[in-house]
Every structure is written in C-alpha cells, then in structure tokens.
Amino acid sequence: MSWQSSNETVLDNGNYVLNTLHYINKLNESVNPEAIECLERKHKEELERLSLGGILEEDQQGCEISWDSLLCWPRTPPGTLVTLPCFDELNGIRYDSTQNASRWCRTDGIWSNYSNYSLCRNLREPAIEGGAEVISTTIYFAGYSISLITLIIAVSIFLYCKELRCIRNNIHTNLMFTYILADFMWILNNVMQVSMQPDVPTCVAFLSLFHYFQLTNYFWMFVEGLYLYLLVVKTFTGDNIKLRLCLIIGWGIPVLFITMWCIAKSLDQNATSQDIALGKHCPWMVSHAYDWFYQAPAILVLCVNVVFLFMIMWVLITKLWSATNVETQQYRKASKALLVLIPLLGVTYVLVLTGPTEGQVANAFSYARAVLLSSQGLFVALFYCFLNTEVRNTVKSHIERWTTARDLDTERRLYCPPSNPYRKRDSSVSETTTTTVVGLNSTTTFLDKSKKAISEDMNE
C-alpha cells in the first residue's frame, strides 16, 4: 500500500490526535518490514560506532548498510561486487530465490546507483528451460558478429567502386549501414551490462541509440520496399526516385519517434523504485506503455512491407506465366525472387514475431529465432553484394586492373633498370696508350685502360 492510498483513508472526524494516530498506523502498515529491519541494522551499527568514539575499524570501512527497495545490502569493502540471493516474493509474485542479485561497492566507498536483478526470474513467466537462454544469447552474439564483419566488407565495396553508385545500390548501402550500427549497439549494450559498471546517463544514451538504429533499420527496409513497388508495380524509372527523399524517410523520421519516446520516459514519474531496481542497471529498460512510440512504427512498417511483397510477387509471377519459359524455370525464378526479397523487406521479423512458450518446442523456436534475426544482415550482404553478378563483375574488373598495373610495374623495374647516379662519366679521350718521356735515360710510363703503370728503363 502506497503513502497516497494510506493518506486517503484517514478520516476527518474533527479530532486531530486521533487522525494523527490513525495516519501513523496506516503508514506503518505500508512500510516494508524488511526495510524496517534493514534500517534497524544500520541504526544499531551507528550506535556501536558512536560507542567506540566514532572510529571505524578497517573491516568496517567502505559502503554502509543500504536498502535499495528490494534487498538490504550489508557493509562492504570498497571495490567489491556483492551478491545476495534473490527475494522469494514481490507484490504477490513468486521469484526464483536460487539465483543471485549483485551490486557494486565502488572504490570511493559509495554504492552503485542500481543493482543487477537480471537473474531474478518471475516463476510465473514461461521461462525457457535449462540453459536454452544462454545458448540463445550465444547464438545472437555469434550471428551479429558474423553479420557485422560481412556487412562492413560489403559497404566498403559499394563505397570504393564508383561504378556501383546508383540509387538502387545507395539504398542497399544505407540499409547495410543501419544493420552495422544496430548490431554493434546490441553487442555493446550486452557487453556493458555483463562486464561493466555503467552509470545511468551512459546507459540511457546507449539504449536510446540502440532503439534509434533499430528503427532506422526498419525504415530503410520500408524504403527498399517502396523503391521496388514503384519500380515493378507502378513501373516508374529510377530517375524519378530521389535519394534525398529516401534519406529523409530512412534517417529523419525515426528521430521524431525516438525523441517523443525519450521525452515521455524522462517525464515519467510513475515508475516505482522497485521497477527501477529490476531494470538491470538502467531505469529506461523497464517496459512501459511509452515503448509503443517506437514499437508501433516498426510494426506498421513491417506490415506495409508484407503488402509490398505480395504485390511485387504477383506482378513477377504474372510476367513469368506470360513468358514462353518452361514451367519449372518459372517456379524456380519466382522462388528465387521470394527468397531474395524476404530478408530485404524484413519479413523474417514477422515470421518469428510470436511462437510457442513452453516445452522443448519453445527452446527450438528460440534457437531458430536467434539464428534468423541475428543473420538478417548476413543474408542481405550475401544476396545483394557477394552473390550479385554486377558487384562480382565490378570487383573482378578492379582486381584485374590492379593485377595488370602491378605486372607492368614489375616488368618496368626488371627490363628498364634505373640509371646509376654514381656511374663513371665516359671519357672522350682515345683509348690509345699515352707515352710520356721526361729527359734522357728517364723512365717511360705507359698508362693502360685499367690505370696500371708499367715502367721500364729506356737506353738510347
């Protein structure tokens, strides 16, 4: 029972003393007994310290006894991570007390603002059995890491090869860039929660960026679907579609929704201290109705892309049936087009939106969902870069030109050696022997080409 509810039950019977006593009784009933016990322990410790002259022993220095609205944290030495068993019950809901909550005592002797209750599981929730949750998280990490590497290579190819710069490939590049940012922020947020001691502003900033990049990813999927719809269904040319409009839709519109979400979360004063403590270090991680500010646009975009997919496939199948190709080839081309468009338009998110929640089937669904969602960026990079004929021919052409230029440079160095600046200068003097005679009976000196001196006595 909250303070407000207890205050409303106070009856005004004209007697101030009775009203005050009634209010005190109601207030005592609303206070958690565990909180009172924690405060009593802290008060008892203060009395013991005062009885010793106010001097703390070495083992009593550090973070003092603290109540964080869920658990009572004992006095702890500085720079220590404290773990306590999770609470048994909260608001009538049973929790798994075999798991532990943790909280940092900082090196300056002050408790961290938020405790980590991520392992305190609600027993009423349909939990994934066994170590399935750990396996799913590992799959996400592996999938996002592989996607991140392949996407960086693909974006580098599109940016380096000028021949690939057109409206279609520019849209592909922006979509891949949003995958890179979203995957990187997911990895960064999870690493920060597990291995770091984040403060609230950093956590809020990272969480806001993560939701923004996720939303930009959905909107660039919408741009991809809109481009194909205008190109295939409405038969517009690529020149009629402006990149500036695509940039506004993909990067600008998500800013509006995330800004509204941030303002609503910052002005929200209804979150209780227990909800904040359960928010895994960050109060904005607590689920709230305000989350629909960015969830609703994402769902709407995915639904519109599903409509685009059906309309595009209808046009493609109609054109294939009107062609003179063999029926088997028509089905093969239609299946290939569908397979390529599913990851591009984000239809995979719709396919795994809901699923079983109990038993081994739930575990299998969780694994499949982790594989499909974490490999979205990988599939986009494969289909629209590494397996694309235009991209492969362009990269092959660049490699051949680079190889040819390197071979020519090697041949030039081998067959045309550079001139030696210290080479002896050629003499214009005749190579015939020069004879010098000095006086009678003198020595005649012959200078040959090798600069050797030969002397002999001349007898006349």
Side-chain angles (χ1 to χ4, degrees), residues 382-397:
L382 286 177
F383 291 149
Y384 294 94
C385 181
F386 300 112
L387 300 180
N388 185 274
T389 305
E390 178 188 7
V391 177
R392 293 173 63 182
N393 291 336
T394 302
V395 173
K396 183 179 179 180
S397 175

Side-chain angles (χ1 to χ4, degrees), residues 81-350:
L81 178 65
V82 187
T83 57
L84 292 177
C86 295
F87 37 85
D88 296 325
E89 182 267 341
L90 178 64
N91 297 330
I93 301 175
R94 302 289 299 177
Y95 281 81
D96 186 5
S97 60
T98 61
Q99 302 296 329
N100 293 327
S102 60
R103 191 180 185 186
W104 276 99
C105 177
R106 301 189 312 207
T107 55
D108 56 359
I110 299 177
W111 285 108
S112 176
N113 292 332
Y114 295 99
S115 309
N116 184 8
Y117 289 97
S118 58
L119 299 178
C120 298
R121 184 185 302 281
N122 181 357
L123 295 179
R124 295 196 312 182
E125 294 179 351
I128 300 176
E129 299 178 359
E133 186 175 1
V134 178
I135 297 175
S136 298
T137 305
T138 305
I139 293 175
Y140 275 114
F141 264 105
Y144 282 133
S145 300
I146 296 174
S147 297
L148 195 61
I149 296 173
T150 55
L151 287 166
I152 291 175
I153 297 174
V155 170
S156 301
I157 291 174
F158 279 117
L159 294 179
Y160 178 76
C161 300
K162 297 181 179 180
E163 302 93 326
L164 298 175
R165 295 180 183 177
C166 60
I167 181 66
R168 171 173 48 85
N169 289 332
N170 286 336
I171 294 175
H172 293 339
T173 304
N174 280 274
L175 177 63
M176 294 178 187
F177 195 60
T178 60
Y179 272 116
I180 292 174
L181 296 175
D183 294 352
F184 176 74
M185 289 306 302
W186 187 93
I187 295 174
L188 186 62
N189 273 284
N190 281 270
V191 170
M192 182 186 67
Q193 293 181 47
V194 174
S195 60
M196 297 176 61
Q197 183 184 352
D199 53 1
V200 177
T202 303
C203 181
V204 169
F206 282 7
L207 188 65
S208 301
L209 287 175
F210 172 65
H211 288 316
Y212 171 70
F213 292 140
Q214 268 195 329
L215 198 57
T216 56
N217 184 243
Y218 292 131
F219 271 85
W220 275 106
M221 291 178 189
F222 169 74
V223 172
E224 292 275 8
L226 180 63
Y227 174 79
L228 290 175
Y229 172 78
L230 295 177
L231 209 64
V232 177
V233 180
K234 295 298 182 181
T235 63
F236 284 4
T237 61
D239 298 334
N240 295 329
I241 303 172
K242 302 300 182 182
L243 181 60
R244 182 179 300 177
L245 178 61
C246 298
L247 294 174
I248 294 174
I249 296 175
W251 296 105
I253 295 180
V255 174
L256 302 177
F257 295 109
I258 295 299
T259 301
M260 290 189 293
W261 175 73
C262 291
I263 294 174
K265 294 288 284 188
S266 61
L267 297 178
D268 180 32
Q269 303 295 333
N270 297 325
T272 64
S273 57
Q274 293 176 347
D275 291 335
I276 294 176
L278 288 172
K280 304 177 184 179
H281 294 296
C282 186
W284 284 23
M285 287 186 177
V286 180
S287 298
H288 197 279
Y290 294 146
D291 295 341
W292 284 103
F293 276 115
Y294 67 86
Q295 291 176 356
I299 295 175
L300 179 62
V301 161
L302 292 177
C303 293
V304 173
N305 272 3
V306 171
V307 176
F308 284 159
L309 178 63
F310 279 110
M311 299 180 71
I312 293 170
M313 290 304 301
W314 176 259
V315 174
L316 291 178
I317 293 174
T318 303
K319 291 183 177 180
L320 287 175
W321 276 108
S322 62
T324 58
N325 297 332
V326 183
E327 185 176 358
T328 305
Q329 295 180 353
Q330 295 174 353
Y331 284 124
R332 187 183 296 114
K333 290 182 179 180
S335 302
K336 182 181 178 181
L338 180 63
L339 180 64
V340 170
L341 290 177
I342 283 178
L344 184 69
L345 303 182
V347 182
T348 310
Y349 293 102
V350 180

Side-chain angles (χ1 to χ4, degrees), residues 18-69:
L18 292 179
N19 287 341
T20 303
L21 292 176
H22 183 71
Y23 166 74
I24 292 175
N25 291 332
K26 290 293 184 179
L27 185 62
N28 289 334
E29 292 176 0
S30 64
V31 177
N32 193 328
E34 296 179 356
I36 296 177
E37 182 181 354
C38 185
L39 293 176
E40 290 176 350
R41 286 172 53 189
K42 182 178 180 180
H43 180 65
K44 182 179 178 180
E45 183 182 85
E46 290 291 334
L47 293 178
E48 293 177 355
R49 183 176 64 85
L50 292 175
S51 64
L52 297 175
I55 301 177
L56 287 174
E57 298 180 1
E58 185 177 354
D59 59 346
Q60 292 182 339
Q61 296 178 354
C63 299
E64 60 183 11
I65 298 175
S66 174
W67 172 257
D68 66 349
S69 75

